[in-house]
């Protein structure tokens, strides 16, 4: 189910993914595909999406009552000997809502609180443009014997929006 982010005069609306609170959505072909992906994403793969660049933008719309929300993203950072850590900053509609320094490989859970005033409400839908900034993104072709020229930092697996308890 697609939606659009309301635009100002003369601007084209951005695509968005509609979320029900408490329902986890999966990145990749199985669910989201490229729905909500505005810029900075590699081609969707089975059950995940990688960023491609130092910023990845994602627009979502949530069916909610207007309270504070918690955004939970699960995935795996690209870390190793030549890339010891990944710093990730999350902005929601321009507000800095999270920062993580990930220096361990393996599954990670990134959780951020989004206040009601940080959501752009139109009728019964709240719109959020999420921008993940990942300055430590690296090209595999520069650190390994690889022809992969994508600039990677984090393998996004799932995303969930829920009411703050």
């Amino acid at each position: 189910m697609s939606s659009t982010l309301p635009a100002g005069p003369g601007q084209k609306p951005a695509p968005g993914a509609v979320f029900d609170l408490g329902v986890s959505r999966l990145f990749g072909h199985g669910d989201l595909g490229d729905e909500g992906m505005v810029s900075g994403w590699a081609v969707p793969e089975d059950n995940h999406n990688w960023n491609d660049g130092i910023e990845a933008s994602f627009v979502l719309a949530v069916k909610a009552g207007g309270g504070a929300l918690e955004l939970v993203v699960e995935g795996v950072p690209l870390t190793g000997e030549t890339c010891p850590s990944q710093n990730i900053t999350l902005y929601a509609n321009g507000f800095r809502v999270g920062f993580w320094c990930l220096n361990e490989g393996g599954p990670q859970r990134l959780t951020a609180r989004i206040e009601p005033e940080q959501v752009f409400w139109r009728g019964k839908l709240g719109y959020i443009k999420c921008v993940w900034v990942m300055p430590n993104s690296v090209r595999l072709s520069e650190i390994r014997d690889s022809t992969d020229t994508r600039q990677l930092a984090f393998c996004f697996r799932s995303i969930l929006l829920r009411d703050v308890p």
Side-chain angles (χ1 to χ4, degrees):
M1 173 187 292
S2 289
S3 185
T4 57
L5 181 66
Q11 293 180 330
K12 182 181 174 186
V18 178
F19 282 70
D20 290 311
L21 288 179
V23 177
S24 185
R25 301 286 307 267
L26 303 176
F27 284 91
H29 294 301
D31 184 7
L32 287 170
D34 62 0
E35 187 178 0
M37 312 270 171
V38 178
S39 63
W41 296 96
V43 174
E45 298 180 47
D46 292 337
N47 304 315
H48 66 274
N49 281 79
W50 282 96
N51 67 293
D52 187 3
I54 61 169
E55 284 188 6
S57 298
F58 183 80
V59 174
L60 59 91
V62 61
K63 302 172 187 176
L69 301 169
E70 191 170 64
L71 177 73
V72 181
V73 171
E74 293 182 346
V76 179
L78 176 63
T79 58
E81 198 172 297
T82 54
C83 184
S85 68
Q86 290 293 341
N87 292 333
I88 300 175
T89 305
L90 173 60
Y91 295 90
N93 288 338
F95 294 92
R96 184 178 184 261
V97 295
F99 173 79
W100 303 270
C101 180
L102 307 173
N103 51 24
E104 293 181 21
Q108 303 284 328
R109 180 177 287 178
L110 313 179
T111 303
R113 181 183 174 111
I114 300 173
E115 299 296 337
E117 61 271 13
Q118 296 169 328
V119 179
F120 184 62
W121 291 96
R122 283 289 186 238
K124 296 183 185 216
L125 290 177
Y127 292 88
I128 305 169
K129 180 178 182 184
C130 299
V131 178
W132 286 275
V133 178
M134 299 161 279
N136 300 351
S137 296
V138 296
R139 295 187 194 285
L140 291 182
S141 60
E142 294 175 358
I143 63 170
R144 297 183 184 155
D145 185 21
S146 173
T147 59
D148 192 336
T149 59
R150 297 177 298 170
Q151 196 171 356
L152 310 176
F154 196 75
C155 177
F156 291 77
R157 302 225 172 178
S158 68
I159 184 169
L160 166 73
L161 266 177
R162 59 186 173 205
D163 280 318
V164 173

